[in-house]
Amino acid sequence: MPLHFVLTATCNSKYPKGSNFYNMVLTHTEENYLKAIFKISEEDGNETATTNAISAEMNTAAASVTDMLRRLSDKKLINYEKYKGVTLTKEGKSVATALIRKHRLWEFFLVEKLHFDWDEIHDIAEQLEHVNSPELVTRLNDYLGNPRFDPHGDPIPDENGNMPVREQVSLLRLKPGEVGKLTGLRNNSDQLMKYLKKNSIGIGTKITILEHHEFDESLSVKIDDKQEMGLSNKVSKNLLVQTE
Amino acid sequence: MPLHFVLTATCNSKYPKGSNFYNMVLTHTEENYLKAIFKISEEDGNETATTNAISAEMNTAAASVTDMLRRLSDKKLINYEKYKGVTLTKEGKSVATALIRKHRLWEFFLVEKLHFDWDEIHDIAEQLEHVNSPELVTRLNDYLGNPRFDPHGDPIPDENGNMPVREQVSLLRLKPGEVGKLTGLRNNSDQLMKYLKKNSIGIGTKITILEHHEFDESLSVKIDDKQEMGLSNKVSKNLLVQTE
DNA sequence: ATTTATTTTTAGATTAATCTAAAAATATAT
DNA sequence: ATATATTTTTAGATTAATCTAAAAATAAAT
Ligand SMILES: [Mn+2]
Ligand SMILES: [Mn+2]
Ligand SMILES: [Mn+2]
Ligand SMILES: [Mn+2]
């Protein structure tokens, strides 16, 4: 019998004594803020991450963000001037990419080894990414065969934080007759993933353009030389493919 | 069973909506206290876990323990009466064994798949055990082949919290000529593990008793039909073996 | 250039988890 | 049984992380 619970819990870790700049132990929360700032900064057009953008990304009140920005600034993880928005420092960026590396390695593990589907892994990886053990990351990476892309096609940063880059365009840009191999999604929405899964479309799937429909800008396509189907404009726009 | 209580909890990570009594979301700290209480209760002779025992196990001030006991009691995870010490409720015990299950499954993973040594895994498992995903535990268990004992020889509780039991005696109890297979340690001290590793002794190692030395109650033994060596009383006492 | 709207910060509270110091309860020893 | 020692609880503070409401700064519109 489902009762209505309001659940609040803080997942605090302790600060070990003797932590210095380079082995600073951050709280899960601080780590999540850094990831959010990184994500916002990556979004095209964003010079700096604003308080409101972070507030939206983190689902917290703007006032809470301001609080945290002061703290992250004190720790030299961000460059912060009141009212100006923030950027990550070198150190902050390094923390953020290390988190993303862990997140995506764990996602790869969950799909490759534990046979989860790509729409089931994100929330688990959100937890696993906070496990702090450099040796674990190294061994996990080796165990997985040093993968370069996660199950959503997102690049996995290497030990130094460098992301592999890849040429990919929206499926919408291909002309009839052209073929694209699905390499990523523009946004990793669960609904989109479930929809694609239902239609046997996943990373690596070969998609051939049959026709562009002017009226609603949708596509007719052929999937892996098997079924033909229509793809709405909204779906096609979100599919990133490599040609040839 | 009608459970009427409203509990308030925050977690930085999203907490599942529709939580009920049986999938209550606890903080890492609350989970660690439950594990500590479980551990103390398992130690022979301990009817209840006292505030000081918990304080020692958790490395926190006794006053902090009292605080937490009130909280855990409010959540019906422990039976608590002031000055009387505590026991786990059925629910509390179930949370604790689920944690131990996760801890030991992850330790098994770290050794079997990532090739860590048995003295390197505990701290990482301490973190991994708090990852909350029943599906993950199920799949991890299947992936590992439903192991019954962890790399230290400790039993892994099954889905229902039942621990496999095993006959094992201290090596000291064997008579000269008898053979024991190492199945566990009385306490998982890092120093002991490192010492054994250095002498090629691990779980499964065959140990033949050559001689008991009266003077210091030490042993002469043969390891896996290979090297002969002495084992101090303190070491032998901590080695648990199966005979035959 | 003012006014209005939006964004951001400050102020003031709350909760979990911790601490130290003091008080109260229980256990041990004389 | 009284005194002493130990254990446990209470009292009072602190810090991280959050909130709402109000003030201040910046941006947009008239
Ligand atoms: Mn993800
Ligand atoms: Mn991903
Ligand atoms: Mn362990
Ligand atoms: Mn173990």
Side-chain angles (χ1 to χ4, degrees):
Chain A
M1 307 314 151
L3 304 175
H4 301 287
F5 275 68
V6 184
L7 293 166
T8 355
T10 13
C11 305
N12 289 338
S13 11
K14 298 190 215 180
Y15 288 84
K17 336 202 175 260
S19 39
N20 62 38
F21 189 72
Y22 291 105
N23 68 358
M24 200 185 319
V25 173
L26 303 174
T27 64
H28 288 195
T29 309
E30 289 169 327
E31 291 188 336
N32 286 333
Y33 272 95
L34 291 175
K35 262 205 320 171
I37 294 166
F38 184 89
K39 188 177 175 192
I40 293 162
S41 307
E42 291 288 278
E43 274 156 23
D44 40 29
N46 286 335
E47 245 295 291
T48 67
T50 65
T51 300
N52 260 4
I54 298 166
S55 152
E57 180 69 31
M58 294 288 298
N59 267 297
T60 50
S64 309
V65 174
T66 303
D67 247 31
M68 180 56 91
L69 294 185
R70 246 200 38 257
R71 212 153 340 114
L72 293 174
S73 180
D74 288 348
K75 295 189 177 181
K76 314 269 191 237
L77 294 162
I78 60 173
N79 305 115
Y80 173 49
E81 264 186 286
K82 278 204 232 173
Y83 296 103
K84 299 284 186 182
V86 298
T87 56
L88 293 174
T89 61
K90 194 164 149 250
E91 181 63 12
K93 200 172 291 173
S94 143
V95 172
T97 51
L99 283 164
I100 291 165
R101 174 168 165 75
K102 286 190 277 180
H103 182 101
R104 293 181 181 167
L105 282 173
W106 280 117
E107 285 191 341
F108 191 92
F109 167 77
L110 293 172
V111 168
E112 289 300 309
K113 304 293 187 182
L114 301 194
H115 311 299
F116 277 98
D117 280 329
W118 70 344
D119 56 326
E120 303 172 319
I121 57 181
H122 179 77
D123 290 347
I124 303 177
E126 283 293 308
Q127 299 180 63
L128 286 164
E129 74 190 4
H130 297 290
V131 172
N132 175 22
S133 166
E135 182 67 14
L136 175 60
V137 180
T138 304
R139 284 178 188 261
L140 183 63
N141 176 63
D142 290 352
Y143 176 57
L144 299 175
N146 193 33
R148 300 178 59 243
F149 297 94
D150 84 1
H152 308 109
D154 295 317
I156 302 177
D158 70 16
E159 323 78 81
N160 307 310
N162 302 312
M163 302 265 195
V165 279
R166 214 165 29 174
E167 292 275 310
Q168 47 185 14
V169 296
S170 169
L171 187 70
L172 266 184
R173 311 292 272 278
L174 305 203
K175 308 244 170 308
E178 287 192 297
V179 178
K181 192 180 71 174
L182 188 68
T183 50
L185 304 179
R186 204 182 282 292
N187 75 338
N188 292 346
S189 108
D190 263 25
Q191 280 115 52
L192 177 58
M193 287 188 251
K194 277 192 220 301
Y195 170 76
L196 295 173
K197 187 165 82 179
K198 199 171 292 174
N199 289 104
S200 317
I201 301 173
I203 297 295
T205 298
K206 195 173 122 187
I207 305 174
T208 311
I209 310 294
L210 300 176
E211 200 178 347
H212 276 263
H213 304 291
E214 294 290 328
F215 178 65
D216 60 355
E217 305 193 77
S218 71
L219 298 178
S220 286
V221 299
K222 182 162 217 169
I223 304 303
D224 271 334
D225 300 317
K226 296 193 197 94
Q227 87 272 21
E228 293 183 11
M229 66 181 294
L231 289 177
S232 73
N233 177 268
K234 188 164 179 196
V235 167
S236 334
K237 190 189 308 178
N238 280 288
L239 301 185
L240 301 175
V241 298
Q242 278 186 326
T243 51
E244 211 285 335
Chain B
M1 25 5 244
L3 305 147
H4 10 61
F5 71 85
V6 178
L7 75 91
T8 348
T10 359
C11 200
N12 324 339
S13 39
K14 313 284 143 172
Y15 35 86
K17 337 210 172 253
S19 313
N20 59 41
F21 189 73
Y22 292 104
N23 68 0
M24 200 185 322
V25 173
L26 303 174
T27 64
H28 289 195
T29 309
E30 290 170 327
E31 291 188 335
N32 285 334
Y33 272 95
L34 291 175
K35 262 204 322 169
I37 294 166
F38 184 90
K39 187 176 175 193
I40 293 162
S41 307
E42 291 288 277
E43 274 156 23
D44 40 28
N46 286 335
E47 245 295 291
T48 66
T50 65
T51 300
N52 261 4
I54 298 165
S55 152
E57 180 68 30
M58 293 290 296
N59 268 297
T60 50
S64 308
V65 174
T66 303
D67 247 30
M68 181 56 90
L69 294 185
R70 246 201 38 258
R71 212 154 338 116
L72 293 174
S73 180
D74 288 349
K75 294 187 178 181
K76 315 273 191 232
L77 294 163
I78 60 173
N79 305 114
Y80 174 48
E81 264 186 286
K82 276 202 232 175
Y83 296 102
K84 300 282 187 184
V86 299
T87 56
L88 293 173
T89 61
K90 192 162 152 254
E91 181 63 14
K93 199 170 292 175
S94 142
V95 172
T97 51
L99 283 164
I100 291 166
R101 174 167 165 77
K102 286 190 277 180
H103 182 100
R104 294 181 180 167
L105 283 173
W106 280 117
E107 285 192 341
F108 191 92
F109 167 76
L110 293 172
V111 168
E112 289 300 309
K113 302 294 186 181
L114 301 194
H115 312 300
F116 277 99
D117 280 328
W118 69 345
D119 56 325
E120 303 171 319
I121 56 180
H122 180 76
D123 290 346
I124 302 177
E126 283 293 308
Q127 300 180 62
L128 287 164
E129 73 190 5
H130 296 291
V131 172
N132 176 21
S133 165
E135 182 66 13
L136 175 60
V137 181
T138 304
R139 283 178 188 260
L140 182 63
N141 176 63
D142 290 351
Y143 176 57
L144 299 175
N146 192 32
R148 301 178 58 243
F149 298 93
D150 83 2
H152 307 109
D154 295 318
I156 302 178
D158 69 16
E159 323 78 83
N160 307 309
N162 301 314
M163 302 264 193
V165 278
R166 212 166 29 174
E167 291 277 309
Q168 47 185 14
V169 297
S170 168
L171 186 70
L172 266 184
R173 311 293 271 279
L174 304 204
K175 308 247 170 308
E178 286 193 299
V179 178
K181 192 181 70 173
L182 188 68
T183 50
L185 304 179
R186 205 181 282 293
N187 75 337
N188 293 346
S189 107
D190 262 25
Q191 281 115 52
L192 177 57
M193 287 189 251
K194 277 191 221 300
Y195 170 76
L196 295 174
K197 187 165 81 175
K198 200 172 294 175
N199 289 102
S200 317
I201 300 173
I203 297 296
T205 298
K206 192 173 125 188
I207 305 174
T208 311
I209 309 295
L210 301 176
E211 201 179 344
H212 276 264
H213 304 292
E214 294 290 326
F215 177 65
D216 61 355
E217 305 192 77
S218 71
L219 297 178
S220 285
V221 299
K222 183 162 214 167
I223 305 302
D224 270 335
D225 301 317
K226 296 193 198 94
Q227 88 272 22
E228 293 184 10
M229 66 181 294
L231 290 177
S232 74
N233 177 269
K234 189 164 178 196
V235 167
S236 335
K237 191 189 306 177
N238 279 288
L239 301 186
L240 300 175
V241 298
Q242 279 186 324
T243 52
E244 208 285 339

